[in-house]
């Protein structure tokens, strides 16, 4: 599939008015037959395109495919998502984004794929990705932060993602420290932040986001049914993923800019508004043990402050927590 040509044609069609095959052919230096061919290819992908011998082609509706031009048509950003790399198959969008970051890809560049067979979650867990129904996206960030601030990044991304999904779906999405988005207590999305740097400086950060979008009950493995959900399961509505991705990138740029210009405090305030953890009795799962505690606050570095059962205050910089249900 020639993504570049298709991408260009989508971009022209999205502008809204009729565009002639001759015009596109000239602009791309290809034949009119090849343009016609590509238009037919777009129709196979589900683009509804009207043809007229006199006027050319006009876009009527767009399908749920992750073409960069289609996603970009929903962006209002300066740099977030301005370079989108889409691949049909990848082992993990994180690895491809790292490769691109090492080659100098700009801040805000994104990697997306439809099939991801080695998607990873936090703490070496695998991440279930359902082609054509999930969103897997990795974003390259180059903030001027020291490694001790790294826990702030998933909080920034979490706040942006939470607002974007609330705005787009009106679901009451909540944030669970450190990186989960929940609806009705079940996980809807997760964030994996990986960084390259040394003790003094962060070279780049890859913020990976996995979202369960149009998954049905049958797509969720049996052992996850009690803890995972999707936007479709919660709303019974199919979501147009390119539009949602556009909305997410708009919110990420908004919150990332706020963080860079005003610091972490405004982000922390928003996180406190949407979180479902503070004030709750929790279990903290560390690498070698689980402790019971009460979640008290989020500090200025994005760490969770808890009170253990002996009333000692502890600062959690990493780990997993689960909210204890009363029984
Ligand atoms: C978690 O909740 O444990 C984090 C899940 C992060 C999954 C995303 S999908 C896009 C990106 N690519 C990956 O391999 N992982 C992240």
């Amino acid at each position: 599939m020639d993504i570049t040509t298709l991408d260009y044609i989508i971009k022209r069609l999205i502008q809204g008015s009729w565009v002639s095959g001759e015009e596109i052919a000239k602009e791309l230096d290809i034949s009119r037959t090849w343009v016609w061919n590509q238009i037919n290819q777009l129709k196979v992908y589900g683009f509804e395109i009207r043809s007229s011998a006199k006027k050319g082609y006009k876009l009527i509706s767009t399908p749920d495919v992750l073409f960069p031009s289609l996603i970009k048509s929903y962006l209002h950003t300066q740099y977030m998502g301005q370079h989108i790399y889409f691949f049909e198959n990848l082992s993990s969008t994180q690895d491809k984004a790292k490769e691109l970051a090492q080659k100098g890809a700009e801040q805000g560049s994104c990697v997306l794929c439809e099939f991801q067979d080695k998607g990873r979650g936090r703490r070496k867990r695998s991440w279930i990705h359902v082609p054509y129904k999930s969103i897997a996206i990795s974003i390259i960030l180059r903030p001027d932060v020291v490694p001790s601030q790294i826990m702030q990044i998933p909080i920034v991304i979490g706040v942006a993602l939470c607002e974007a999904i609330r705005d787009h779906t009106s679901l009451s999405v909540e944030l669970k420290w450190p990186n989960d988005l929940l609806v009705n207590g079940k996980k809807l999305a997760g964030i994996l932040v990986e960084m390259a740097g040394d003790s003094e400086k962060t070279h780049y950060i890859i913020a990976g986001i996995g979202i369960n979008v149009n998954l049905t009950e049958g797509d969720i493995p049996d052992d996850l049914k009690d803890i995972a959900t999707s936007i479709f399961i919660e709303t019974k509505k199919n979501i147009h993923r390119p539009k949602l991705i556009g909305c997410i990138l708009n919110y990420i740029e908004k919150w990332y800019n706020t963080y860079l210009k005003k610091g972490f405090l405004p982000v922390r305030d928003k996180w406190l508004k949407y979180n479902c953890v503070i004030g709750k009795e929790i279990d903290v799962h560390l690498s070698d043990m689980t402790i019971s505690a009460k979640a008290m606050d989020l500090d200025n570095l994005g760490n969770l402050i808890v009170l253990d059962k002996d009333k000692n205050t502890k600062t959690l910089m990493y780990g997993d927590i689960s909210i204890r249900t009363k029984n």
Side-chain angles (χ1 to χ4, degrees):
M1 180 179 55
D2 179 359
I3 287 276
T4 331
T5 310
L6 284 184
D7 218 38
Y8 186 84
I9 297 176
I10 296 169
K11 206 173 184 169
R12 290 296 271 110
L13 290 171
I14 277 172
Q15 289 162 0
S17 45
W18 285 92
V19 54
S20 78
E22 198 176 341
E23 240 175 289
I24 299 177
K26 258 195 204 146
E27 286 161 10
L28 286 173
D29 198 20
I30 56 177
S31 67
R32 277 172 63 182
T33 319
W34 188 239
V35 174
W36 177 81
N37 232 299
Q38 299 284 283
I39 293 279
N40 284 340
Q41 183 66 57
L42 285 177
K43 288 182 183 168
V44 171
Y45 282 121
F47 284 78
E48 202 187 328
I49 299 165
R50 194 163 293 155
S51 310
S52 142
K54 279 196 185 144
K55 295 190 266 188
Y57 305 105
K58 185 172 167 53
L59 184 65
I60 306 300
S61 72
T62 57
D64 186 21
V65 290
L66 304 179
F67 286 121
S69 298
L70 186 53
I71 296 168
K72 281 191 204 166
S73 71
Y74 300 111
L75 290 180
H76 315 290
T77 60
Q78 295 293 313
Y79 58 95
M80 210 57 80
Q82 290 302 324
H83 298 280
I84 298 180
Y85 300 85
F86 169 71
F87 300 86
E88 205 56 42
N89 293 281
L90 282 178
S91 51
S92 159
T93 53
Q94 291 293 97
D95 295 336
K96 182 51 89 177
K98 264 184 208 168
E99 192 186 309
L100 292 166
Q102 275 156 10
K103 288 183 186 155
E106 283 172 40
Q107 166 151 273
S109 302
C110 299
V111 175
L112 284 155
C113 71
E114 201 58 271
F115 290 81
Q116 177 177 248
D117 58 3
K118 289 200 178 61
R120 57 178 177 272
R122 292 177 58 247
R123 314 190 83 195
K124 299 199 176 124
R125 285 188 286 248
S126 58
W127 178 256
I128 309 285
H129 173 88
V130 182
Y132 307 108
K133 294 186 177 184
S134 299
I135 290 174
I137 181 168
S138 294
I139 306 168
I140 298 171
L141 301 173
R142 299 183 182 278
D144 189 10
V145 295
V146 290
S148 63
Q149 290 172 290
I150 194 77
M151 274 311 289
Q152 295 176 335
I153 303 295
I155 305 286
V156 175
I157 302 292
V159 163
L161 194 55
C162 184
E163 279 209 329
I165 301 178
R166 278 174 170 254
D167 182 9
H168 203 76
T169 65
S170 64
L171 278 173
S172 299
V173 184
E174 293 180 309
L175 290 163
K176 176 171 142 300
W177 188 88
N179 305 21
D180 290 347
L181 275 83
L182 309 184
V183 175
N184 296 324
K186 291 186 177 182
K187 184 154 167 173
L188 187 83
I191 300 163
L192 173 70
V193 169
E194 297 177 317
M195 63 160 272
D198 50 44
S199 56
E200 274 153 36
K201 197 172 161 36
T202 304
H203 300 320
Y204 63 80
I205 286 173
I206 308 294
I209 302 171
I211 313 170
N212 300 333
V213 185
N214 292 321
L215 282 68
T216 59
E217 295 277 3
D219 293 314
I220 310 243
D222 285 345
D223 57 330
L224 299 181
K225 280 203 188 331
D226 289 343
I227 55 171
T229 189
S230 76
I231 298 178
F232 179 80
I233 293 170
E234 298 297 326
T235 61
K236 298 289 169 277
K237 284 189 191 133
N238 257 300
I239 294 288
H240 187 253
R241 290 173 306 155
K243 200 168 182 183
L244 176 59
I245 295 170
C247 175
I248 288 167
L249 291 169
N250 289 333
Y251 273 99
I252 290 182
E253 182 168 294
K254 174 188 148 193
W255 279 105
Y256 185 67
N257 280 347
T258 301
Y259 170 65
L260 295 181
K261 288 185 192 138
K262 300 190 178 158
F264 186 62
L265 287 185
V267 180
R268 176 180 171 271
D269 286 348
K270 250 319 182 252
W271 186 91
L272 288 171
K273 178 172 173 207
Y274 291 136
N275 94 91
C276 58
V277 172
I278 302 300
K280 302 266 173 65
E281 297 294 334
I282 59 172
D283 285 324
V284 182
H285 311 285
L286 300 168
S287 39
D288 47 354
M289 60 174 166
T290 296
I291 59 165
S292 302
K294 183 173 183 179
M296 304 302 290
D297 202 359
L298 186 77
D299 77 6
N300 292 343
L301 287 172
N303 304 315
L304 189 68
I305 309 295
V306 302
L307 200 62
D308 72 10
K309 58 178 178 12
D310 301 320
K311 304 275 180 258
N312 296 317
T313 299
K314 286 194 164 27
T315 301
L316 300 180
M317 287 183 269
Y318 65 94
D320 255 354
I321 60 166
S322 47
I323 300 166
R324 235 177 301 144
T325 44
K326 289 187 196 111
N327 50 16

